[in-house]
């Protein structure tokens, strides 16, 4: 028998599995590495976050990825080189993190790697006749497996698309497993580059779970900070607080068919970028807005799209919202959300035992655990599939 299959069989039967979940998001800030242990599967899963770190990317690496990231036209050689390079680079960062935690690679049962999204193209966004939903994550799993010596599960989004989804959000599978609570209507709201949420009804009826992207999280705020202030992001919303929201521009930003698309829907910086902002400014015929006012307006845009979505789709006086992602650290955005939804309880996912910075890396670890020993779970209209491809060190 192929020894790799034998090893998978053994790991799947262990009472507890030690694993690493990896996320490299659209903000391109760094690699999130979560060391977790899992027992069981599906709604019977129990999980512990043992260690977590985000290793920031070097500027040179960010610049190289940005050459192809969310670009309609890119150098195919660069994409090819990056696919292998990111796999090897992520493997090096994993080995570095494990050494810091005094864990030997041989102790880890598997790695679950998201890779780096370089292009996300749901049909409603690409609009090309004859083509279905599509998405592309690079950072090849074989390179991670060979370099670390650890079985690696990767490329989770393709199966979701093959089975009729948009390849995202995948958070719902982890949110149902790790974040549900009987008799409490919950929303797990992740504000990363793009904001998304999962609604978990307190009656446990999985057919009522809703999970979708909402719109921009930090991506426009970050882009404006980079472009006009030479900063990677608006730390503690200092710039937003120093500016004033331009209501006319805010209305123009809110005017886009994406916000009326059917659920579930997904998006990315392919749509929400500085060109989107420039088009909205053109529509207002006011191109001379002060740069701090622009950052304030983009921050208000993020908060407003989240608030409008929640107010339109849920009964807010019986709702517990738990935020996560880097945007949950943006006081301006969070303040506006709390002010506009006074009847909902709003906290962050640490209130329910999930580290808000680690949440997406934990999600991929949970998806890896399902790929090894779970069963497809029907949740609403979402594809009931096990996702991920297996790579072996030998
Ligand atoms: N102290 C802070 N003040 C304001 N914003 C912050 C702060 N800390 C983090 N952020 C925001 O969070 C971003 C990083 O968020 P996160 O790591 O969740 O993104 P991501 O994982 O790349 O996103 P995605 O989930 O879309 O893939 C930063 O770029 C910044 O915009
Ligand atoms: C294609 C892609 O990488 N999408 C990401 C991105 O970041 C947030 C949002 O857009 C979400 O849809 C998704 O990631 C999370 C982990 C998800 O699939 O749930």
């Amino acid at each position: 028998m192929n020894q790799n299959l034998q090893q998978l069989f053994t790991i799947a039967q262990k009472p507890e599995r030690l694993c690493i979940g990896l996320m490299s998001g659209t903000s391109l800030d760094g690699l999130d590495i979560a060391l977790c242990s899992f027992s069981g599967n599906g709604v019977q899963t129990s999980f512990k976050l043992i260690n977590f770190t985000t290793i920031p990317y070097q500027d040179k690496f960010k610049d190289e990825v940005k050459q192809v990231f969310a670009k309609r036209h890119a150098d195919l050689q660069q994409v090819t080189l990056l696919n292998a390079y990111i796999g090897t680079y992520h493997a090096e960062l994993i080995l570095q993190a494990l050494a810091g935690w005094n864990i030997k690679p041989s102790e880890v049962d598997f790695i679950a790697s998201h890779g780096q999204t370089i292009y996300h193209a749901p049909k409603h966004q690409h609009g090309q006749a004859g083509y279905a939903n599509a998405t592309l994550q690079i950072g090849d799993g074989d390179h991670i497996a060979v370099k670390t010596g650890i079985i690696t599960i990767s490329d989770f989004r393709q199966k979701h698309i093959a089975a009729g989804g948009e390849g995202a959000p995948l958070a719902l599978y982890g949110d149902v497993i790790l974040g549900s609570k009987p008799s409490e209507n919950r929303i797990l709201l992740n504000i990363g580059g793009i904001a998304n949420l999962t609604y978990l009804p307190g009656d446990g009826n999985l057919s009522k779970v809703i999970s979708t992207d909402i719109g921009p999280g930090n991506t426009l705020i970050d882009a404006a900070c980079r472009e006009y202030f030479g900063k990677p992001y608006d730390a503690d919303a200092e710039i937003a607080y120093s500016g004033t929201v331009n209501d006319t521009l805010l209305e123009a930003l809110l005017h886009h068919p994406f916000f009326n698309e059917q659920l579930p829907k997904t998006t990315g910086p392919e749509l929400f970028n500085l060109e989107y902002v420039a088009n909205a400014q053109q529509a207002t015929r006011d191109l001379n807005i002060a740069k701090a006012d622009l950052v304030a307006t983009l921050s208000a845009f993020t908060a407003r799209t989240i608030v409008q979505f929640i107010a339109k789709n849920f009964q807010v006086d019986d709702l517990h919202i738990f935020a996560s992602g880097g945007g949950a650290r943006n006081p301006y955005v969070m303040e506006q959300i709390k002010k506009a939804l006074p009847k909902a309880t709003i906290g962050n996912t640490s209130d329910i035992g999930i580290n808000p910075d680690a949440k997406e890396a934990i999600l991929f670890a949970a998806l890896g655990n399902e790929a090894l020993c779970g069963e497809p779970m029907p949740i609403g209209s979402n594809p009931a599939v096990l996702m991920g491809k297996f790579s072996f060190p030998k």
Side-chain angles (χ1 to χ4, degrees), residues 23 26 114 117 120 135 137 157 167-172 190 192-196 213 266-267 360 363-364:
M23 178 65 187
T26 48
H114 171 261
T117 295
H120 186 60
T135 191
Q137 286 70 44
R157 300 192 188 275
L170 302 185
L172 81 153
N190 192 75
I194 296 299
N196 64 15
D213 282 357
T266 60
T267 189
E360 289 188 334
L363 157 73
F364 284 97

Side-chain angles (χ1 to χ4, degrees), residues 2 16 19 31 60 63 103 106-107 123 166 193-194 274 287 293 295 302 306 312 318 335 362 367 374 376 381 383 394:
N2 176 336
E16 195 171 75
C19 65
L31 181 65
K60 184 169 170 289
D63 290 344
I103 306 269
S106 57
E107 293 173 57
K123 199 171 167 59
E166 289 192 9
I194 296 299
L274 288 182
L287 304 179
D293 292 355
V295 172
T302 291
I306 291 169
K312 181 174 163 202
D318 183 20
E335 212 172 81
I362 296 168
L367 291 179
S381 57
K394 289 202 177 111

Side-chain angles (χ1 to χ4, degrees), residues 196-377:
N196 64 15
L197 62 71
T198 305
Y199 169 70
L200 301 162
D203 64 9
N205 183 344
L206 292 187
S207 71
K208 292 201 289 197
V209 171
I210 294 172
S211 180
T212 182
D213 282 357
I214 300 169
N218 311 306
T219 191
L220 294 177
I221 307 170
D222 287 359
C225 287
R226 272 195 307 271
E227 182 78 11
Y228 305 118
F229 294 89
K231 295 182 173 178
Y233 65 94
D234 186 12
D236 302 330
E238 270 187 32
I239 303 172
Y241 280 119
S242 75
T244 305
V245 174
N246 180 315
D247 289 320
T248 318
L249 178 58
L250 179 56
E251 286 311 315
L253 288 164
L254 287 162
H255 196 74
H256 191 281
F258 173 76
F259 296 109
N260 299 319
E261 281 294 335
Q262 271 197 316
L263 305 187
K265 58 188 172 182
T266 60
T267 189
E270 296 79 9
L271 172 63
F272 290 108
N273 51 36
L274 288 182
E275 197 185 321
Y276 182 95
V277 179
N279 289 338
Q281 283 190 273
Q282 292 280 359
T284 65
R285 294 168 202 266
D286 177 6
L287 304 179
N288 293 321
I289 171 171
K291 297 310 175 204
D293 292 355
L294 182 64
V295 172
T297 308
L298 295 175
S299 307
F301 180 41
T302 291
R304 181 74 73 86
T305 47
I306 291 169
V307 165
Q308 283 187 344
F309 184 88
I310 292 177
K312 181 174 163 202
N313 291 287
F314 308 103
Q315 184 86 33
V316 286
D317 53 1
D318 183 20
L319 200 57
H320 298 258
I321 300 172
F322 301 98
S324 61
R329 291 180 184 277
N330 182 315
Y332 187 96
V333 170
M334 290 310 296
E335 212 172 81
Q336 292 216 346
I337 295 174
K338 286 178 184 164
K339 223 187 264 173
L341 296 172
K343 290 191 175 158
T345 317
I346 306 181
N348 82 39
T349 57
S350 55
D351 304 338
I352 54 171
I354 305 174
N355 175 327
D357 298 318
K359 181 169 177 277
E360 289 188 334
I362 296 168
L363 157 73
F364 284 97
L367 291 179
N369 188 58
E370 289 300 296
L372 264 165
C373 46
E375 284 166 33
M377 251 197 297

